[in-house]
Amino acid sequence: MVVRPRDDPRDAPGGDPGPRRTGGDLDLDGIRAADVIARGVRGAEPGEVPGRLCAVAVELLPVVGASVSLRGEGMPVQLSASSAQAARLAQIQATLGDGPCQSALHDGAPVLACDLTTGRDAGRWPVFAQQATEAGVRAVYAVPLGSDSVCVGTLDLYRDRPGGLTDRQLHVARLVAGVMTVALMALPRGAEAEPRDEEPWLSGLAADHDEVYQAVGMIMAQLGVGADDALARLRADAFARGCTALDAAREVIAHRRRFERY
């Protein structure tokens, strides 16, 4: 497989997109990408598939990290990430309830934030943009998982310098997202598909999400409020202290932090 150098001028902000690619070119790109995807997931256990596909996305595209999250009640359920940095960026978006991932979930279409350091993208998600750039990320691309009518989650791609995606790169990103969707929807869930002494794989991947909602339940009891208000208080507390909602949740569960009524 031929991979363009990462310093190719077509990757630069406003750079030359290169010759227009025909449908046949995109089909050829898809075939090459499919080979890499097949190699990346070969022999993987069900719970390893999301992580393997995140790694494949980083191999195929001019990005430094990738994460995958499912739509959840109140906040996305992070399933996997290619690196600690990518996992943190996903947690930041979940904590803020804002960012390209949230916009892609709402719109059901790819959201390409090509420059979080200035201009329209920085102004669209100002707090996320600031935290993302502090974490070393300058561009984020969120690609929906699901169908045209139902968005079930997002594949989020992170880049350490400003720049967009070419038609070919967006085509490949959509291909990886499509395979991710099929994998997540087709793989077994629930006790009936697993040995009784093993945890269903999706539940295991979403363990962090369970901690957040355990903390939300405790905050509901402490404040006498509903789930939405309790989650909002948890997010606000995390933001005020510069940590993620997951970090704040773990402190609540460990009884190191308690919420008081105003």
Side-chain angles (χ1 to χ4, degrees), residues 30-56:
I31 292 171
R32 290 170 175 166
D35 288 341
V36 177
I37 292 170
R39 185 175 70 247
V41 301
R42 187 175 295 125
E45 295 295 327
E48 298 173 338
V49 172
R52 293 276 193 97
L53 288 174
C54 286
V56 165

Side-chain angles (χ1 to χ4, degrees), residues 66-72 74-80 86-114 116 121 124-125 128-129 132 137 139-145 151-158 209 235:
S67 64
V68 58
S69 301
L70 290 181
R71 183 190 293 274
M75 63 189 297
V77 183
Q78 182 184 330
L79 295 185
S80 193
R88 175 162 177 75
L89 266 292
Q91 285 291 337
I92 289 173
Q93 293 190 80
T95 298
L96 296 175
D98 194 26
C101 165
Q102 298 291 316
S103 297
L105 285 173
H106 180 268
D107 298 342
V111 174
L112 309 181
C114 301
L116 294 172
D121 293 330
R124 186 176 180 184
W125 310 281
F128 170 74
V137 168
V140 177
Y141 319 118
V143 184
L145 306 178
C151 177
V152 300
T154 59
L155 171 66
D156 299 317
L157 307 167
Y158 309 102
H209 188 264
R235 278 175 156 159

Side-chain angles (χ1 to χ4, degrees), residues 117-184:
T117 65
T118 187
R120 177 180 178 275
D121 293 330
R124 186 176 180 184
W125 310 281
V127 178
F128 170 74
Q130 178 184 1
Q131 295 196 17
T133 55
E134 289 176 355
V137 168
R138 303 293 185 268
V140 177
Y141 319 118
V143 184
L145 306 178
S147 65
D148 291 339
S149 59
V150 179
C151 177
V152 300
T154 59
L155 171 66
D156 299 317
L157 307 167
Y158 309 102
R159 186 169 175 169
D160 59 359
R161 65 185 188 279
L165 293 179
T166 64
D167 288 346
R168 173 258 176 186
Q169 291 162 350
L170 182 57
H171 176 67
V172 171
R174 285 179 178 272
L175 179 61
V176 176
V179 175
M180 184 81 77
T181 299
V182 172
L184 293 175

Side-chain angles (χ1 to χ4, degrees), residues 192-208:
E192 71 280 1
E194 300 283 344
R196 292 190 176 184
D197 59 346
E198 292 185 8
E199 185 176 33
W201 78 270
L202 186 56
S203 297
L205 289 173
D208 290 347

Side-chain angles (χ1 to χ4, degrees), residues 233-247:
R233 287 289 298 273
L234 180 68
R235 278 175 156 159
D237 180 66
F239 175 73
R241 296 190 292 120
C243 63
T244 67
L246 178 59
D247 293 333

